[in-house]
Amino acid sequence: MFFPGSLATTLKIECIVEQTYGPWWQSLHRTMLRGILGKTFRLVGYTIQYACIAHCAFEYVGGVVMCSGPSMEPTIQNSDIVCAENLSRHFYGIQRGDIVIAKSPSDPKSNICKRVIGLEGDKILTSRPSDFFKSHNYVPTGHVWLEGDNLQNSTDSRYYGPVPYGLIRGRIFFKIWPLSDFGFLRDSPNGHRSPGD
Amino acid sequence: MSFMKLKAISILLTVINFINNNNKKSGDQGPWWQSLHRTMLRGILGKTFRLVGYTIQYACIAHCAFEYVGGVVMCSGPSMEPTIQNSDIVCAENLSRHFYGIQRGDIVIAKSPSDPKSNICKRVIGLEGDKILTSRPSDFFKSHNYVPTGHVWLEGDNLQNSTDSRYYGPVPYGLIRGRIFFKKSCS
């Protein structure tokens, strides 16, 4: 007795629904679409959310970077994987002798990885060791002087001049690949080049 | 979704803990107010972590919005008069910078080359490769400079009272932060 009554009610409701909303497959289609749209928006929302958090983590905390090029040999070889941290840059704690990643002054789309030889106000020896007359330059305010460890094969501040501090993106402090060279990075093999040291 | 799960788990743990404490003999866990205190502390800790988590989440989203889309900036200084007066409110967008769409004549915000903590607001006079007249109009011999690759030449509109590329040289493109495209006129 219970079931026929409920069946009748269901059929009656279905008739009413059909009159108001059209055939049953149309309302099913609408509900499915709304569900899919809702799910898509939610997925996009979550993606944007986590992309923003990941981006901020990479920019403010640090990340893993692969370096390419011969200009920092023997400290960092080609295709080495290193860890960079970005906190020193924001707290203006970059020191002489640090290896930093910076945006290239001659190509804003690429990054360079060099050692900080001089900070603002330092006197840098810019002449080649083979020159007879030594020439010095002072690093202007807000700039740093970058040089690669592999002096013969490095395009650095000796070529494009002092680099503004605002281009520095992070400081490399640890190498994780290759495993034979795992650990903190060595000091510069070239000794100290500014008389201020 | 993960924080709702965390909330559900923490509530579940609180309830289970409280029931367990009530069911055990009082000699094992101590007086009832001690177990209540413990569950309250756990609830507060959970709420604190959730609040910190939400704050970090929305701070990251806001930061990315300001950096990749744009924002409202207040300019100070006389170097862009009469285009932008002191204490004007302007809207800056950052999409042009990322898509390398900065043109000659755009007003850009950039990090100052002489002071990384402050920003400058100047007009782009020349892009890389352009020939810039660097001598003063009163000079007899005109001198030109070429803007090197990856740099731009910035000058303020108020040439008599502006420290710009004529003083510190061409500015690397990487220092540009955004392009000003709208000024809210106060009058």
Side-chain angles (χ1 to χ4, degrees):
Chain A
M1 281 188 301
F2 181 71
F3 283 101
S6 68
L7 189 63
T9 320
T10 316
L11 285 171
K12 204 160 67 172
I13 290 174
E14 207 181 281
C15 289
I16 296 173
V17 165
E18 225 178 68
Q19 281 165 12
T20 329
Y21 292 105
W24 61 272
W25 48 265
Q26 218 177 45
S27 61
L28 177 70
H29 179 72
R30 235 192 317 263
T31 334
M32 272 175 63
L33 209 67
R34 211 171 287 143
I36 291 175
L37 260 170
K39 282 199 177 70
T40 314
F41 278 130
R42 219 169 42 207
L43 179 72
V44 168
Y46 279 131
T47 310
I48 292 179
Q49 224 173 1
Y50 289 123
C52 289
I53 294 174
H55 167 82
C56 286
F58 281 126
E59 186 176 312
Y60 284 102
V61 180
V64 178
V65 179
M66 190 179 95
C67 296
S68 60
S71 60
M72 281 298 292
E73 289 176 359
T75 317
I76 299 178
Q77 317 277 345
N78 193 16
S79 311
D80 274 357
I81 301 187
V82 295
C83 286
E85 55 93 1
N86 298 339
L87 298 168
S88 313
R89 161 175 77 113
H90 285 104
F91 294 114
Y92 301 99
I94 303 281
Q95 312 281 338
R96 284 180 208 89
D98 284 346
I99 303 179
V100 295
I101 298 178
K103 266 196 229 179
S104 167
S106 26
D107 180 16
K109 299 182 193 176
S110 62
N111 295 328
I112 57 173
C113 167
K114 306 284 174 206
R115 199 181 283 271
V116 174
I117 302 296
L119 301 173
E120 60 187 12
D122 287 352
K123 195 167 157 187
I124 302 289
L125 184 77
T126 49
S127 59
R128 296 181 171 284
S130 53
D131 288 351
F132 188 70
F133 292 105
K134 303 215 173 300
S135 66
H136 290 110
N137 261 339
Y138 285 94
V139 181
T141 49
H143 289 68
V144 295
W145 189 270
L146 302 179
E147 279 181 12
D149 283 352
N150 188 3
L151 286 172
Q152 278 87 17
N153 199 358
S154 164
T155 319
D156 46 34
S157 284
R158 297 169 296 161
Y159 171 70
Y160 40 67
V163 175
Y165 191 97
L167 290 178
I168 293 178
R169 299 190 67 183
R171 184 179 73 98
I172 296 178
F173 66 102
F174 201 81
K175 192 186 330 189
I176 60 178
W177 187 269
L179 291 172
S180 56
D181 217 2
F182 188 89
F184 291 100
L185 295 163
R186 293 184 281 268
D187 276 345
S188 167
N190 300 320
H192 299 294
R193 299 235 342 187
S194 61
D197 276 338
Chain B
M1 194 160 58
S2 55
F3 287 102
M4 275 169 59
K5 269 193 199 157
L6 204 67
K7 174 183 176 181
I9 290 173
S10 74
I11 291 177
L12 203 63
L13 281 175
T14 313
V15 167
I16 291 175
N17 199 23
F18 202 76
I19 294 175
N20 274 346
N21 290 344
N22 282 348
N23 283 347
K24 280 190 187 156
K25 295 195 183 20
S26 56
D28 287 349
Q29 288 289 327
W32 62 272
W33 48 264
Q34 218 176 43
S35 59
L36 178 69
H37 178 74
R38 245 197 307 269
T39 33
M40 270 175 64
L41 208 69
R42 217 167 281 144
I44 291 174
L45 259 169
K47 281 200 178 70
T48 312
F49 277 129
R50 216 172 49 209
L51 180 71
V52 168
Y54 277 133
T55 310
I56 293 180
Q57 223 173 359
Y58 290 123
C60 289
I61 294 173
H63 167 82
C64 285
F66 281 126
E67 185 176 312
Y68 284 102
V69 180
V72 179
V73 179
M74 190 179 94
C75 295
S76 61
S79 61
M80 282 299 290
E81 288 176 359
T83 316
I84 299 178
Q85 316 278 341
N86 192 15
S87 310
D88 265 354
I89 311 270
V90 294
C91 289
E93 55 93 3
N94 298 340
L95 297 168
S96 313
R97 162 174 78 114
H98 285 105
F99 293 114
Y100 302 98
I102 303 280
Q103 311 281 339
R104 284 176 207 88
D106 283 346
I107 304 179
V108 296
I109 298 178
K111 267 197 228 177
S112 166
S114 27
D115 180 17
K117 299 181 193 177
S118 63
N119 296 328
I120 57 173
C121 167
K122 307 282 174 209
R123 197 181 285 273
V124 174
I125 302 295
L127 301 173
E128 60 187 9
D130 288 351
K131 195 167 157 186
I132 303 287
L133 183 76
T134 50
S135 59
R136 294 181 174 284
S138 52
D139 287 351
F140 189 71
F141 292 105
K142 305 217 171 300
S143 67
H144 290 108
N145 261 339
Y146 285 94
V147 181
T149 49
H151 289 67
V152 294
W153 189 269
L154 302 179
E155 280 182 12
D157 284 352
N158 187 3
L159 287 172
Q160 278 87 18
N161 198 358
S162 164
T163 320
D164 46 35
S165 284
R166 296 170 296 160
Y167 171 71
Y168 40 67
V171 175
Y173 191 97
L175 290 178
I176 292 178
R177 301 190 67 183
R179 184 179 73 97
I180 295 178
F181 65 100
F182 184 75
K183 183 177 91 151
K184 177 187 171 316
S185 31
C186 299
S187 54

